[in-house]
Structures are given as C-alpha cells and as structure tokens.
Amino acid sequence: MKRWLHGLVLMLGVVGADGVAAQDRARTLRAVVHANLQILDPVWTTAYITNRHAYLIYDTLYGMNSRFEPQPQMAEGHEVSEDGLAWRIRLREGLRFHDGTPVRSADVVASLRRWMARDPMGQRLGQNTASIDIIDDRSFTIRLSQRFGLVLEAIGKAATPAFIMPERIAQTSPQTQVTETTGSGPFIFVREEWRPGNRVVYRRNPDYVPRSEPADYLSGGKRALVDRVEWLYIPDQNTALAALNAGEIDYFEAPPLDFIATLERNRNIRLINIDPLGTQGLIRPNQLFPPFNDPRARQALAHLVRQEDYMRVVVGNPRLYERFCGAFFQCSSGNDTQAGSEPFQQPNVERARQLLREAGYNGEPIVVLQPTDRAQYNAATMVLIQSLRRAGVNVDVQAMDWSTLLTRRASRNPPNQGGYHLFITTHGGPDTAMPTSNTWFNSRCDRANPGWACDMELDGMVAEWARESDPAARRPILERIHRRAWESLPYIPFGQYTQPIAVRSNVHGVLAAGMPIYWNIEKR
Amino acid sequence: MWPYVIRRVLATLPVLGVVAVIVFLLLRLSPGDPAAIIAGDNASADDILAIRAQLGLDRPMLEQFLLWLGQLLRGDFGKSIYLSRPVLGLIAERVEPTLALSLSTMAFAIALAIPMGVLAAWRAGSWIDQTIMAVSVLAFSVPVFLIGYGLVIGLSLSLDLLPVQGFVSLTEDPVAFVRHLVLPTVALGLVYTALLARITRATMLETLNEDFIRTARAKGLAEPRVLILHGLKNASVPIVTTIGTGLALLIGGVVVTESVFAIPGIGRLTIEAVLQRDYPVIQGVILAIAFVYVLVNLVIDLSYTLLDPRIRY
C-alpha cells in the first residue's frame, strides 16, 4: 500500500527533495518557538521571545553562570575602588559588531543608559549611579552615588540584561522601538528571510570570538556550532508535535505539558530540562481596593491555596512540579528560603474565613479575571474560583481572552467599574530568583506592576539587601524580607514547575541556561 | 458593459468607506490594548502608559480616525504597531500562500465536484446519486481540522509521503511548493467539493427537466453532449456564483487550515492581529478583504454574460 502510494505521488511529481540539501539540514537547527517574534528591541518590551532573540544577536557585558554568579562576557574584567563606589570595567579584545565596527566603551555606555531607563533593576542601578565615564575605547567607570551590591548582577542578570548595541542605535529614546538588529553576538539576524508570523532566520557570525571558558548557563564560550538557526512559529501545538515526530523540526521550545508522556515514549526524541529554577505561578490580588488592600484578606487567600491542587491541573505530571514551594525567589535558587511560609503549607479554610471577616469582607462580589484562551492560566483560575467559593466568597468570574486581560489588569478603576480583584499569571525562574528582579514582588505601590502591591517597608528591606555586597551578610536580610513577604503578600505563589524542551535525538549540546539558547548546539 | 463596470467600481468606494468606519469603531470600542501586550507580562503600568503615548493611542478617538483616514486617502494603510512595517507589505507577504491554497482548493473541488454533481443529477435517485450525496454530507460535516490531522497522521507520519506543515514559495522551489500544498488542499477542498457537488446536482436536476433537454435528446444527441453542452452550460450560473463566493471566502482567510498546516496566510495574519489588537493591520486586512469581495462579485456578475447571452448590463 505504502509503495503504491509512493508510486502515485512520484507519478504526480511531487515527491522529492524539498529544496534543502541534506548537508544544509545538518547545519541548520529548526526550532519551534513559543511565540511570534515581532518586536526586536529588548529594551522596549519584556516579552520573553524578544529577550531570546536578543541573546542570539547581542552580547552582554556579564553573564550568569549556573551558580547565579555574574561572569565576564564582553568584559575582560573589572576593578572596584576601595570605597566600592567606582567600578572600572575593561572590554576584552576583538569585539566587533555585525557591521564590522569595533565595540567601544561609548557603545556600552549608551546601551547601559538606555537599559537603565526602562529595566526595573537597571533603574535601581541608575538611581544609585552618579555617572558613567568613558576612559578610553575599551574602558569605562560606573561611579555610584552610594553603595550598591548588585552592579554586576544587574547588568548581567539572566532576563533582560543590558544588551550591548552600537552607540548610534542605543541613543534611540528608550520609549521608541529600535528596529535595527546590529549586535555583536554569536548569530546575525537575517532580515531578508524574516517572515513575521512564520519564520525568523539567524546565521552564524563568522567573526564572533567566543570566550575560552566552557559554556555554563549564560556565561562562558558562546560557540555557534550550526550555520543557521531557523525559528518557526507554529501556533497549533499538535502540528508542532507532528513536525517534531516527522523530523521536520529539531527543537520544540515549549511542548505542552500534556504532551510529555507521548514524547517520552518516542525514542527519536529527548526531553531536556533547561531551566533548573522552573516557572512560578502566582495569584495577584489588587491592593487598591477592599478587601485585598488589607493584608489579612491576602493572608486569607494564601490559606485557601493548596499548591498541589493547582499543579495537578496546570502540569499534571508530578515529576515536573514541587508539592509545595514557599520560596518567593524560587526553590533551589541561591535565594531559596521558606521562612514565613510555615502557616500556609496546608490550606486552612476556617482561618481564611476568619481573616476575611476581620478584613471587613461582607459578601461583596470578588471579580476574578479568567483568561479562557490560555489553557494553563485558565485551569489555575478555575481552581482559585473553586477554593474561594469553598470559603463562602461571592465570586464574580469575568471570562476574557488574554489580550483583554492584559488591558483590564492595568485598570485602576474599582472592580465594579471595569477593574478587578484577582488574576493569575506566571513568571520564569531567572526573573524571579532575586528580590530586585522579581517584578511581581516589587511593592512600590503606584510604581508596582498591576495589582499595585504596596509595602514600602518591604521595599526598604529589598533596597537594604541590594546595597549589601557580601553574600553572607545578605542572607539574614533575605530571611527578613521573606518573612515580611508572607505577611504582606504582594502575590500568592501557587506552585513551581518545570517546562522541558523536546529535541530530536541527534541534537546535542543543549545548555541548561534557564531559557532556550542556541549556541553550543550541534546536530550529529 | 464598460459604463456598468465603472459604475460598479465606483460603488465600491462608499462600501469601503462604511467598512472603514465600522472596523475602526469596533476595534476602538472593544476591550484590549496593544500597549499592554507590547510591554510584556512583567511591565509596570507606567511602561504601558509610555508606550500608549508613543503609539498615539492616548489621543482622542476622532483624532486617531482622521489621521488614519488621511493616510488611507494617500494610499497608506499605516504601519503595524508591533513590527513598525507597512501594513500593505505585510499583506503582500501573505498573499501568495493564501492565493495558492485558495486556487488549488478551488481547482481540486471543481475537478471533483462538477462530475460528481452532474453524475448524481443524471442518475437521480439511484445508488450512485445516494452514494455521492452521502459522501458530500460526510465531507461537509467533518470539521476541517479533523480531516487535516487525519491526513497528517496517515500520509505524513505513517507513510512519510508529504510534509506535515509549512509553505514554500513557488519561486523558491516549485516541487516543495506543490508538496506542501497537497494536504491542506485536500483537507479544505473536501468541504468545497461537497458544497459544489450539491449545488451542481440541484441546478442540473432542474435543468435536465427543461424542454430543451428533451428536445436535444429527441434529436438524437449523444448523452454526454446533452449533459455537458446543454445541461451543464445552462446550469452554470449558480455554480459559478458558488465558486466565486467560495474563492472570495478562501482568500478572506481560512484560519483553521492555515493554523493546522502552519501556512502563513492572510487568515493567520488576521487572527494574530486581532489577538494582539494590532489596529492598523486589522483595519488594513479587512479593507483589503472587502475590496476582494467586491471585485470577485463584479467578476462573477460579468461572467454571467458569457454563460448566458440573455444577461446584458
């Protein structure tokens, strides 16, 4: 039957090589990415897809290793003055942008300034910076106005670090999108082959000089071992899975978690956990309005959460999630602590009811935003709704698509006038692992993310932690922050889970870098 | 005829104007904010406000509309909010996949459906008719995505005959172009085959009962000539109307098929733009589709004069 069909299709002249020679295939990595790349400027948006694009084409001054220590990347090294206020950084030799021009201090300084204007951790560094002075083409100094212990952690953080662009591009206003793509990273963006909504192509940068150290997380030698990386955007997950099974793609960035069992049975496919930290789910209360402007109501909410209930519906496979993770800064990160979470490790509905009463809740409708087009968020929201109802809360479920929810959650209107009380979201490990970079932890009231967590005392503790440069001295501050956070509850974590990637078995060298990166990978 | 054509083309302008106003209002009055999507999941409210201001989305609605209208009158559909690229360029990039899929689907459907419909009408009430109609009902009732997944499992994964997904331009590689079109064409074509077969059967049944058919048979014409030259030609006006409307619908976007087979066509462009509230792209695509509808209907109307000499404009 198969032979007959082959014969038929051959007769029609439609079977044959489809244009890509076998040797080209071996040197091309085809990956299905989780989102459609549209915005090319990593300063203008915090979208993960843009951040991953930026890692391919730009380089960073410092990069995190797997112990979350910043390591020199474009930097050759640095010297710190005795008072800790002057950080002199020297660039390594041979750095060139894709247009052939050398990377100079002026490019780095302009890039740092643009990044400091937008990135939350960059802003913290900027607030503590008196000036950035160019010494020569390869050296510059960051002069702090007061001690700040996280200079390198900020500029080299894993998510949205300071990507270095040419000065002429970096001088673009931080409120305006950069559309040029000249970087100095290991791959070059091939604009003429970019088909938004379909395909993004990168080619190896032949002039890139990787560091000599072995690649480790986001630090060390970034060796481009394939000539081309092609990102394909396939919105239908079943199609992406079929394409992986058929060998049409090599790398599936975010296979749905309910596909994992199927993928595990396929000998031609390997599942790899590239994110040692994982993803954290969170319930975000709106602190502008009662009852969640009262910490007791937020504590009540925390008393209703059994993380395993959420993980069972969101993830399913017990090997991919923690039964309970009480760490705001991710279990198994360097800032892992469970301090303060003890009362919330098991749900306590009675205590929740009591706290709600004490917070003045009297049966008013609680508006919960439900994103019906995001399967995982939708499932978690349904668990939340059920647990609220179990505690006697009058829940007003408002279903909408994710795009609408993003707008709605930014509304400061009262819940019955287009605002809301609760919504659910998630954030990735590298973002979450530090009090300063965990954007949903930011409790600076009006300047916090939607939900407007407001606890200036907690924010003061975070600032104190950031000023301290000795890791040992930071630890007790971290414990205090954490205890305070479980009282104040900027958000309620509902679990931590892992999203593995799936690759064909001939794909080797995938790095556990907390996110999909494409250097070090080869096809054998 | 030419005055009629000119009149019809001019009549599209008010239609497009009404479409423009309705689309603009619908988009601005429906919830959703591109600035919030651009800023990303971890953005602060200040970031979102800054992006809104930069995109001009904080201006009064009337001002935004007049700006857009001014652009349109200059032939400029604006730029995508996300990509900062001209909307017309984005639409142009998506035309080839959609046009290729639409034409191949229609060709497939016509090639199968017309003989099926004629045969069913000729042998009305027989087992042939009943079988053809049963197959039509089945093909019309099964969702396209189900047929699509079935074809992928059968012909791509099990038999390794054809690619699972994607699109290759005709100019890039003609063989790959055809290979990538086979599965989506069959998946989508079955629905249109069923629709056309039923229309053909119904109109042929009516025509075959006309006096002139009896006359043709009485004067000893061969049955195929009776069916094709006398029957089908006289039954062709509603069939051509269905083909034309079907083609316009296909060009307007076949989101499910394009998604299942990862074809970067107009349908996916539209749905992605809607989900992200990329206003200029949505407005541009809808206006372009409206124009195609008007144009296709004009061509259909004009084709009537060729099929039926009694029709004159």
Side-chain angles (χ1 to χ4, degrees):
Chain A
M1 172 73 174
K2 184 173 174 176
R3 189 179 296 172
W4 180 85
L5 272 170
H6 258 299
L8 179 70
V9 184
L10 267 169
M11 241 169 42
L12 293 170
V14 293
V15 163
D18 61 1
V20 184
Q23 63 268 34
D24 288 342
R25 282 181 186 278
R27 304 288 299 168
T28 299
L29 186 83
R30 304 188 89 201
V32 169
V33 289
H34 75 283
N36 177 15
L37 177 74
Q38 297 190 96
I39 298 167
L40 304 176
D41 183 351
V43 172
W44 205 53
T45 180
T46 61
Y48 290 133
I49 191 73
T50 302
N51 193 47
R52 289 162 195 182
H53 154 81
Y55 263 113
L56 279 165
I57 65 166
Y58 298 113
D59 212 346
T60 56
L61 274 180
Y62 284 77
M64 287 290 176
N65 67 13
S66 51
R67 294 179 300 285
F68 300 98
E69 299 156 342
Q71 300 296 309
Q73 189 52 244
M74 295 172 84
E76 190 175 79
H78 62 272
E79 294 162 14
V80 186
S81 63
E82 275 187 25
D83 60 4
L85 295 180
W87 291 68
R88 181 180 168 138
I89 297 175
R90 186 168 171 78
L91 299 176
R92 65 186 168 102
E93 269 185 294
L95 298 175
R96 288 195 174 276
F97 287 113
H98 299 158
D99 59 7
T101 57
V103 178
R104 303 159 305 136
S105 301
D107 302 307
V108 177
V109 170
S111 300
L112 284 174
R113 287 200 174 118
R114 187 164 186 269
W115 168 78
M116 281 177 179
R118 287 294 296 270
D119 184 81
M121 209 158 159
Q123 286 170 350
R124 273 189 194 270
L125 175 59
Q127 285 156 8
N128 290 291
T129 298
S131 65
I132 311 179
D133 307 320
I134 296 170
I135 299 166
D136 57 44
D137 271 358
R138 285 182 54 206
S139 307
F140 64 96
T141 302
I142 299 174
R143 291 187 193 284
L144 301 177
S145 51
Q146 58 178 320
R147 285 184 73 93
F148 185 71
L150 299 170
V151 173
L152 302 183
E153 284 84 350
I155 58 182
K157 70 194 174 79
T160 59
F163 292 110
I164 305 305
M165 304 175 178
E167 184 184 19
R168 66 186 166 80
I169 300 174
Q171 280 172 339
T172 309
S173 158
Q175 306 303 342
T176 301
Q177 184 188 174
V178 161
T179 52
E180 274 199 58
T181 51
T182 307
S184 62
F187 288 91
I188 298 172
F189 179 70
V190 186
R191 185 175 291 273
E192 55 276 18
E193 292 192 51
W194 181 32
R195 297 286 176 273
N198 182 30
R199 189 172 64 166
V200 189
V201 177
Y202 303 89
R203 64 180 169 84
R204 191 171 63 84
N205 175 6
D207 300 323
Y208 184 77
V209 182
R211 295 190 70 90
S212 56
E213 300 93 334
D216 176 19
Y217 206 72
L218 293 163
S219 69
K222 297 178 176 177
R223 289 176 182 79
L225 301 177
V226 288
D227 290 340
R228 275 166 72 92
V229 173
E230 289 182 12
W231 279 7
L232 301 176
Y233 177 54
I234 301 181
D236 188 293
Q237 306 278 18
N238 286 301
T239 306
L241 179 66
L244 183 70
N245 279 324
E248 289 178 25
I249 59 166
D250 308 300
Y251 190 117
F252 191 175
E253 200 181 273
L257 295 168
D258 47 358
F259 284 6
I260 299 300
T262 312
L263 289 166
E264 279 174 338
R265 287 196 293 271
N266 190 333
R267 278 180 303 167
N268 296 319
I269 291 167
R270 285 187 300 132
L271 289 164
I272 303 172
N273 179 13
I274 59 164
D275 184 4
L277 291 179
T279 299
Q280 185 181 64
L282 62 101
I283 303 164
R284 181 70 161 183
N286 184 350
Q287 295 199 20
L288 293 183
F289 301 100
F292 297 113
N293 58 351
D294 187 320
R296 287 170 297 187
R298 302 196 292 274
Q299 289 162 18
L301 201 54
H303 276 300
L304 293 175
V305 172
R306 186 202 301 272
Q307 291 193 355
E308 201 176 355
D309 291 346
Y310 286 80
M311 292 296 97
R312 273 211 300 264
V313 298
V314 171
V315 185
N317 187 336
R319 281 185 288 121
L320 298 176
Y321 63 78
E322 307 266 343
R323 282 172 68 86
F324 177 83
C325 172
F328 278 95
F329 313 116
Q330 298 288 78
C331 288
S332 69
S333 79
N335 294 318
D336 177 3
T337 169
Q338 307 281 324
S341 70
E342 299 81 4
F344 303 99
Q345 294 188 1
Q346 287 299 324
N348 187 339
V349 179
E350 277 314 307
R351 178 74 181 135
R353 285 198 182 114
Q354 184 194 346
L355 283 165
L356 280 170
R357 275 196 301 274
E358 287 172 15
Y361 176 68
N362 200 22
E364 298 83 0
I366 296 295
V367 176
V368 178
L369 306 184
Q370 183 183 19
T372 49
D373 59 337
R374 291 254 174 146
Q376 292 180 346
Y377 292 1
N378 189 40
T381 306
M382 287 197 281
V383 177
L384 170 66
I385 292 164
Q386 193 54 38
S387 63
L388 286 167
R389 285 189 172 139
R390 206 179 304 132
V393 174
N394 175 11
V395 185
D396 176 4
V397 182
Q398 301 201 5
M400 58 194 70
D401 70 334
W402 180 246
S403 303
T404 305
L405 191 147
L406 284 177
T407 310
R408 181 77 178 269
R409 79 184 192 186
S411 166
R412 294 174 193 243
N413 289 341
N416 59 357
Q417 293 170 31
Y420 63 93
H421 285 107
L422 297 166
F423 67 87
I424 269 175
T425 190
T426 60
H427 52 176
D431 279 327
T432 322
M434 281 195 286
T436 40
S437 63
N438 184 329
T439 53
W440 292 104
F441 193 81
N442 169 2
S443 300
R444 284 188 275 178
C445 309
D446 274 0
R447 295 176 61 201
N449 278 13
W452 301 280
C454 189
D455 185 349
M456 292 313 288
E457 195 176 325
L458 181 61
D459 189 62
M461 290 179 186
V462 172
E464 184 189 346
W465 181 84
R467 276 195 298 275
E468 183 53 63
S469 53
D470 176 10
R474 271 195 213 139
R475 190 71 200 180
I477 307 173
L478 183 83
E479 301 278 326
R480 275 198 289 127
I481 289 172
H482 214 261
R483 282 184 206 290
R484 174 74 185 184
W486 273 105
E487 290 164 17
S488 173
L489 288 164
Y491 62 82
I492 294 99
F494 69 73
Q496 183 175 316
Y497 61 95
T498 301
Q499 166 70 66
I501 61 150
V503 295
R504 296 285 300 178
S505 52
N506 65 334
V507 173
H508 297 273
V510 176
L511 287 170
M515 66 184 81
I517 52 169
Y518 296 91
W519 55 85
N520 209 49
I521 296 181
E522 59 185 326
K523 288 167 75 177
R524 285 191 236 129
Chain B
M1 192 174 77
W2 284 110
Y4 173 77
V5 173
I6 293 166
R7 261 201 326 275
R8 283 287 300 268
V9 170
L10 289 177
T12 61
L13 296 177
V15 172
L16 293 178
V18 171
V19 170
V21 173
I22 291 174
V23 170
F24 186 90
L25 287 177
L26 274 178
L27 289 176
R28 294 312 195 282
L29 296 176
S30 59
D33 180 3
I37 303 163
I38 286 168
D41 282 5
N42 298 323
S44 70
D46 289 345
D47 288 340
I48 295 168
L49 285 177
I51 292 173
R52 278 184 68 79
Q54 202 247 326
L55 295 173
L57 296 170
D58 58 344
R59 295 181 190 172
M61 203 193 297
L62 183 64
E63 189 184 333
Q64 290 184 49
F65 179 69
L66 291 176
L67 277 173
W68 178 59
L69 203 62
Q71 282 180 338
L72 272 185
L73 292 175
R74 292 194 302 274
D76 176 4
F77 278 49
K79 283 184 173 180
S80 159
I81 287 175
Y82 295 83
L83 295 159
S84 298
R85 286 173 57 175
V87 170
L88 274 182
L90 291 174
I91 295 174
E93 273 179 12
R94 305 295 186 109
V95 165
E96 191 197 347
T98 296
L99 207 58
L101 179 59
S102 306
L103 292 176
S104 64
T105 299
M106 252 328 145
F108 174 83
I110 291 168
L112 280 183
I114 305 288
M116 280 166 65
V118 171
L119 196 61
W122 183 47
R123 288 284 176 254
S126 70
W127 67 268
I128 297 175
D129 179 26
Q130 284 170 2
T131 308
I132 288 174
M133 285 306 102
V135 170
S136 296
V137 169
L138 189 71
F140 203 73
S141 312
V142 181
V144 172
F145 75 89
L146 208 60
I147 300 173
Y149 290 142
L151 290 170
V152 165
I153 291 168
L155 295 178
S156 299
L157 294 179
S158 302
L159 298 173
D160 194 22
L161 288 172
L162 292 161
V164 169
Q165 52 79 41
F167 175 80
V168 177
S169 169
L170 179 63
T171 53
E172 201 179 314
D173 184 341
V175 174
F177 169 80
V178 175
R179 295 187 72 222
H180 282 84
L181 271 184
V182 172
L183 293 189
T185 297
V186 174
L188 191 57
L190 287 177
V191 177
Y192 283 89
T193 303
L195 178 71
L196 265 182
R198 293 182 74 82
I199 297 281
T200 306
R201 177 185 177 274
T203 49
M204 278 295 285
L205 269 181
E206 212 173 293
T207 311
L208 290 179
N209 286 324
E210 296 283 349
D211 292 343
F212 65 87
I213 295 289
R214 197 178 319 119
T215 308
R217 281 179 177 145
K219 69 181 182 186
L221 273 186
E223 195 61 14
R225 283 179 72 85
V226 173
L227 287 175
I228 307 295
L229 289 181
H230 291 259
L232 187 58
K233 191 177 176 196
N234 281 287
S236 58
V237 168
I239 298 172
V240 167
T241 308
T242 310
I243 291 172
T245 316
L247 193 63
L249 279 171
L250 285 167
I251 292 171
V254 277
V255 176
V256 174
T257 313
E258 288 182 358
S259 297
V260 167
F261 293 101
I263 296 171
I266 299 277
R268 262 180 60 191
L269 177 68
T270 313
I271 203 78
E272 282 155 16
V274 168
L275 287 174
Q276 298 182 107
R277 311 295 191 268
D278 196 343
Y279 299 144
V281 175
I282 305 170
Q283 290 161 181
V285 170
I286 292 180
L287 275 184
I289 290 173
F291 184 69
V292 166
Y293 266 77
V294 172
L295 207 67
V296 168
N297 275 304
L298 178 62
V299 171
I300 293 169
D301 288 351
L302 294 178
S303 72
Y304 294 163
T305 60
L306 301 174
L307 298 168
D308 188 343
R310 289 169 300 183
I311 300 174
R312 282 282 173 273
Y313 298 114

